[in-house]
Amino acid sequence: MNHRTYLALALPLTLSTVTTPLLGAVDTAVMGQLPNPAYIGGVAIGTIIFNTMYWLFGFLRISTSGFAAQAFGANDELQGKLSFIRPFLIALAVGLFFFLLQKPIEYSAMALLNPAADVQTFASEYYGIRIWGVPLTLLNYVILGWLMGMAKIKWAVFIQIMMNVLNIVLDLVFVMGLSWGISGVAAATLIAEFTAFAVGLWVVVKAGGISLNFLPLKQILDLPAMKKMFMVNKDLFIRTICLLLVFNLFTYKSASFGTETLAANAVLLQIHYLMAYFFDGFSNATSILTGKAMGAKDYNLYKRTLSISAQWAILTSAFLTLMYWMFSESVIRLFTTIEEVVEMAMIYSDWLLLFPIATSIGIIFYGTFTGATETAPVRNSMIVSLLFYFLMFYLSVPHLENHGIWLSFIAFSIGRSVFLSLYVPKLSRQFQAL
């Protein structure tokens, strides 16, 4: 395996994953063209609510990809099918559960985040429409994770790009053309999510030969296999809770500094998501190749994947830092035309120059551990990073205010990279013993 092989996998995945945050980024950008910053704040609050639900169960994509990649590497058709059916049933149950509890979730979120009255009004309007897409999004996680793990990259890329291009077009039509306001961006996202689900399920059934009637329930609910899946998912669930605590505390404290600060931080966070998902494409490639190495018991493939992943983490972080340093104000103005928000965002913009190098190793090596389905190190390193974040937040925010929020976030990002890297030698020894 060489750089060309790695990039042939990583670049299409990067293209597809970078479109993922556009669901929130485009919503923010379109709202930023309207005169009231409360529109951006409403989307920011609504996005936090959905990120909380989706990220809690984001492991459905990640673990599905890891198990599917191992089945693919071992050339085990039966396990390949089971690696889809099991998480699909879990995603369906969880999605319906969230939908039925939509009112208590909304009430709790608003009470916790406590936004200004006008921001809360817009957030509720946004939430009331997008909540219908929760089951679809969780099922999409399983579909995309399985397609990636089974090396059906072209289909995974097509579905994600199709979903996000459709979202962008409908945002512009509903908001700029039909003047539907915040309801327009929510409706656009919902329609895009439904379309992606319909197309994705068709691809899985036709290209993968998947059918819920294909296997008896006893095989689907095989106890040792289910236990392994739940152990992996438990670790990734804890990791996600740590991330949610970071971002929810970030947004909560931002709101306490006023609507303009909340809007400015929302814009900068959307830019941060674009950077993070850029790395996520490389992380997905690393996960697929590591899973393949695990399934085939190929230590040399694992070593080469680890080395090339680290090199591209460094090169990618340098590229993103340079691009943002050159075009930061232009990028911010893509998200909003409100001068007060632009000026506020530029005050804190330089913190994002530190983000790529701080987080690159942590995100890309994350793919190494998920591909190997060895997720306890991911859980442990994230817990330690969260404690580091809390300490920095407690020490810096009272004195530095919003700069303190960003300082704490960058410290957390550094912690993710450093603490996870410490577990790599142990994983390498495990591979060597296969």
Side-chain angles (χ1 to χ4, degrees):
M1 204 270 289
N2 54 29
H3 285 274
R4 179 176 295 181
T5 304
Y6 182 80
L7 290 177
L9 186 59
L11 292 180
L13 289 171
T14 299
L15 178 62
S16 65
T17 53
V18 163
T19 64
T20 299
L22 289 177
L23 284 172
V26 172
D27 290 351
T28 302
V30 171
M31 290 295 93
Q33 310 311 306
L34 302 179
N36 187 348
Y39 282 107
I40 302 179
V43 170
I45 296 297
T47 299
I48 279 291
I49 298 173
F50 288 106
N51 281 352
T52 300
M53 289 188 282
Y54 294 155
W55 288 3
L56 278 174
F57 291 89
F59 61 73
L60 289 167
R61 183 190 66 78
I62 297 161
S63 65
T64 300
S65 181
F67 284 115
Q70 290 185 21
F72 180 74
N75 197 27
D76 190 330
E77 183 179 350
L78 173 60
Q79 289 304 316
K81 295 178 186 297
L82 289 170
S83 69
F84 175 82
I85 293 173
R86 287 170 180 149
F88 187 89
L89 294 175
I90 294 172
L92 181 61
V94 171
L96 292 175
F97 177 77
F98 276 141
F99 180 77
L100 292 173
L101 291 180
Q102 58 181 279
K103 288 300 181 183
I105 290 171
E106 179 184 6
Y107 177 81
S108 300
M110 294 304 176
L112 180 64
L113 295 172
N114 193 30
D118 53 349
V119 173
Q120 180 170 334
T121 299
F122 291 131
S124 293
E125 186 177 345
Y126 181 81
Y127 172 88
I129 295 173
R130 279 203 61 190
I131 189 66
W132 290 84
V134 170
L136 300 175
T137 297
L138 297 180
L139 292 170
N140 282 337
Y141 283 169
V142 175
I143 290 170
L144 291 171
W146 189 83
L147 290 173
M148 289 179 182
M150 298 302 290
K152 300 182 185 297
I153 305 303
K154 290 182 180 179
W155 278 115
V157 171
F158 169 76
I159 291 168
Q160 286 189 283
I161 292 177
M162 175 204 66
M163 177 175 68
N164 290 291
V165 169
L166 180 60
N167 179 68
I168 293 169
V169 171
L170 292 178
D171 263 347
L172 296 175
V173 171
F174 291 164
V175 179
M176 300 304 181
L178 301 177
S179 301
W180 286 4
I182 203 164
S183 295
V185 296
T189 301
L190 176 61
I191 293 171
E193 289 168 338
F194 175 80
T195 305
F197 169 73
V199 173
L201 189 61
W202 179 84
V203 170
V204 168
V205 171
K206 294 297 182 181
I210 299 294
S211 170
L212 291 179
N213 296 322
F214 178 79
L215 297 168
L217 190 61
K218 185 177 179 180
Q219 279 188 299
I220 295 174
L221 301 179
D222 177 68
L223 189 58
M226 292 293 288
K227 183 178 179 182
K228 170 67 174 175
M229 184 181 71
F230 277 110
M231 287 300 293
V232 168
N233 289 340
K234 180 200 71 175
D235 292 335
L236 296 178
F237 183 81
I238 293 171
R239 167 202 178 256
T240 303
I241 289 176
C242 293
L243 280 173
L244 288 171
L245 287 171
V246 168
F247 284 107
N248 286 355
L249 181 58
F250 189 108
T251 302
Y252 170 78
K253 199 63 180 178
S254 298
S256 72
F257 293 132
T259 299
E260 283 76 17
T261 299
L262 173 63
N265 280 355
V267 168
L268 293 176
L269 275 182
Q270 292 301 333
I271 298 170
H272 138 271
Y273 287 134
L274 290 172
M275 292 180 177
Y277 276 87
F278 198 94
F279 287 119
D280 208 38
F282 288 88
S283 180
N284 286 335
T286 299
S287 179
I288 292 167
L289 290 169
T290 303
K292 184 179 179 181
M294 172 71 81
K297 299 182 179 180
D298 188 340
Y299 178 64
N300 289 328
L301 175 58
Y302 161 75
K303 278 202 311 181
R304 191 63 181 147
T305 299
L306 190 67
S307 173
I308 291 177
S309 298
Q311 294 174 55
W312 280 103
I314 295 169
L315 289 172
T316 304
S317 63
F319 170 76
L320 289 176
T321 299
L322 178 62
M323 289 297 99
Y324 188 68
W325 177 72
M326 294 173 62
F327 303 110
S328 56
E329 183 171 354
S330 299
V331 173
I332 289 170
R333 289 188 179 277
L334 290 175
F335 286 87
T336 181
T337 57
I338 304 171
E339 282 302 320
E340 294 86 349
V341 177
V342 173
E343 291 173 7
M344 184 72 72
M346 285 302 297
I347 292 173
Y348 306 106
S349 174
D350 286 351
W351 287 107
L352 285 185
L353 293 173
L354 301 175
F355 175 74
I357 191 62
T359 202
S360 58
I361 292 293
I363 293 179
I364 292 181
F365 276 9
Y366 170 61
T368 303
F369 288 91
T370 57
T373 59
E374 292 291 336
T375 50
V378 173
R379 175 200 65 205
N380 295 342
S381 62
M382 188 63 74
I383 291 173
V384 175
S385 299
L386 177 65
L387 295 175
F388 189 39
Y389 172 76
F390 284 153
L391 176 63
M392 293 299 297
F393 200 94
Y394 174 77
L395 293 175
S396 63
V397 173
H399 305 289
L400 301 176
E401 296 186 335
N402 200 46
H403 279 296
I405 295 178
W406 282 102
L407 172 62
S408 304
F409 180 69
I410 296 300
F412 168 76
S413 301
I414 294 172
R416 290 178 66 182
S417 293
V418 172
F419 299 132
L420 185 58
S421 297
L422 296 177
Y423 287 96
V424 170
K426 181 180 179 181
L427 180 64
S428 298
R429 289 193 296 270
Q430 290 177 236
F431 256 95
Q432 202 166 12
L434 289 176

